[in-house]
Amino acid sequence: MDEFNKGPENSEGNNKIRNPIINKVTRRTRSITDKDGFYVILFICICIVTTTAVWVSKNNFDKANNLQSLDYLQFAEGYYDDIENLEEEEESKDVTLIEIDEKESEETKSEETDKELTQDTEDKGAETPEEQKTKVTSAQSNSASEELVVTTMGQPTVGNLSMDYADSTLVYSKTLDQWTTHYGIDIKANEGAAVKVVLDGVIKSIERDTDYGILITVDHGNGLETKYGCLSTDAMVTVGQEVKKGDAISGIGKGAGIELADGPHLHFEVIKDGKNVNPKNYLPKFK
């Protein structure tokens, strides 16, 4: 029993003996752990620094490559621009030379033409001052003659305008019941009223026309003629007869041919150099 009771005391003594050993081991373990932690932290820092340095170096290298590529592209663009400018300058020079050659060629041709004309004039003989004066006088005479015709032509009969001149437009024809051209004017007048010559002239023709019935043409010279249609008689004048302005050559008929439905009237035309013209440009104004 005594030995049994001493057991706990011996156990406490053993614990006291063991505690210093355990404490020593613990201190050593902590010391080792503290040293290992330091090295681990140091290793991690070295890794971070190394990684950062590598990344920075790579980034700088990429930037340098990009700058070199950009410089190369700019250099290439400038090079090709210079080539294009040189080509344009060469083309401009070529065009200028071509224009100069063409201009010189035209001037040469013009000089040759002038020489040929001068030679022809010398061969044929130049016009004398008298010949030139005659031409000018003739032109002035023709112009004055036309102006005189316009201002001195008389009315072919007394009446009112019933159908106008129409070469580029159309007028309505009662007889044909359609729109048509009309190369003269119609003057509505009383049946049997006198039809007179508007200018001095010669009776050129007397005919029975299918369109305008009895038709008399008077030649006034200088390419001017007048025609009188839808007349009542052809017995008052003869072909070749000279007539004076205001002479009666026939009377107003009832209408004929393509103007039969228009009633009594005079169909009057003016022909200049073979072409119909508007008679109102030659006649006095209608009231």
Side-chain angles (χ1 to χ4, degrees):
M1 292 295 292
D2 293 335
E3 291 177 358
F4 180 79
N5 291 331
K6 290 178 180 180
E9 293 177 359
N10 291 334
S11 178
E12 290 178 2
N14 291 333
N15 288 335
K16 290 179 180 180
I17 294 171
R18 290 175 183 172
N19 285 337
I21 296 172
I22 292 170
N23 291 335
K24 187 175 181 180
V25 172
T26 301
R27 283 195 300 270
R28 285 186 177 182
T29 302
R30 287 179 179 176
S31 177
I32 293 170
T33 302
D34 291 339
K35 289 180 180 180
D36 291 341
F38 170 75
Y39 287 118
V40 169
I41 293 171
L42 179 61
F43 176 75
I44 291 171
C45 290
I46 291 171
C47 289
I48 291 172
V49 171
T50 303
T51 303
T52 302
V54 171
W55 181 82
V56 171
S57 298
K58 185 177 183 303
N59 191 30
N60 291 335
F61 180 76
D62 292 339
K63 287 183 178 179
N65 286 336
N66 291 334
L67 289 174
Q68 289 179 355
S69 299
L70 181 60
D71 291 340
Y72 175 76
L73 291 175
Q74 291 177 348
F75 170 76
E77 290 178 356
Y79 175 75
Y80 287 116
D81 289 340
D82 292 339
I83 291 177
E84 290 179 357
N85 292 333
L86 289 174
E87 290 178 351
E88 290 177 356
E89 290 178 0
E90 291 297 329
E91 290 178 357
S92 177
K93 290 180 181 178
D94 293 339
V95 171
T96 303
L97 291 174
I98 291 172
E99 291 178 351
I100 292 173
D101 292 339
E102 291 178 351
K103 186 175 181 180
E104 290 178 351
S105 177
E106 290 177 357
E107 290 177 353
T108 303
K109 289 181 180 179
S110 178
E111 291 176 358
E112 292 177 354
T113 303
D114 292 339
K115 288 180 181 179
E116 291 177 357
L117 292 174
T118 303
Q119 187 65 34
D120 291 341
T121 303
E122 291 176 354
D123 293 340
K124 294 178 180 179
E127 292 181 349
T128 63
E130 289 77 9
E131 291 174 340
Q132 294 178 354
K133 185 177 180 180
T134 301
K135 284 188 175 181
V136 172
T137 304
S138 177
Q140 292 176 347
S141 176
N142 291 335
S143 177
S145 176
E146 291 182 2
E147 185 176 355
L148 183 64
V149 167
V150 174
T151 56
T152 60
M153 187 178 284
Q155 287 285 13
T157 192
V158 178
N160 299 318
L161 185 67
S162 59
M163 184 175 290
D164 208 346
Y165 178 84
D167 60 346
S168 58
T169 58
L170 299 177
V171 292
Y172 181 72
S173 170
K174 293 180 181 179
T175 305
L176 300 176
D177 190 23
Q178 66 182 25
W179 293 87
T180 182
T181 54
H182 192 236
Y183 294 103
I185 60 172
D186 290 349
I187 303 173
K188 188 175 182 180
N190 295 326
E191 185 177 354
V195 175
K196 300 178 181 180
V197 178
V198 295
L199 286 173
D200 295 352
V202 177
I203 303 298
K204 180 179 180 180
S205 65
I206 301 172
E207 55 188 312
R208 291 184 177 272
D209 187 65
T210 56
D211 290 339
Y212 302 110
I214 297 175
L215 183 67
I216 297 177
T217 303
V218 180
D219 185 1
H220 304 284
N222 295 323
L224 183 67
E225 296 179 355
T226 53
K227 290 188 176 184
Y228 309 78
C230 298
L231 303 176
S232 61
T233 180
D234 59 358
M236 294 178 64
V237 290
T238 58
V239 175
Q241 178 181 338
E242 293 185 0
V243 289
K244 297 293 184 181
K245 176 183 176 181
D247 287 350
I249 58 174
S250 186
I252 298 294
K254 295 181 179 180
I258 61 174
E259 295 185 351
L260 181 63
D262 295 328
H265 71 280
L266 170 67
H267 176 82
F268 179 72
E269 295 182 11
V270 175
I271 296 90
K272 178 63 178 173
D273 297 327
K275 296 181 180 180
N276 283 85
V277 293
N278 193 340
K280 291 195 300 183
N281 295 335
Y282 292 84
L283 294 174
K285 292 183 179 180
F286 287 90
K287 294 181 180 180

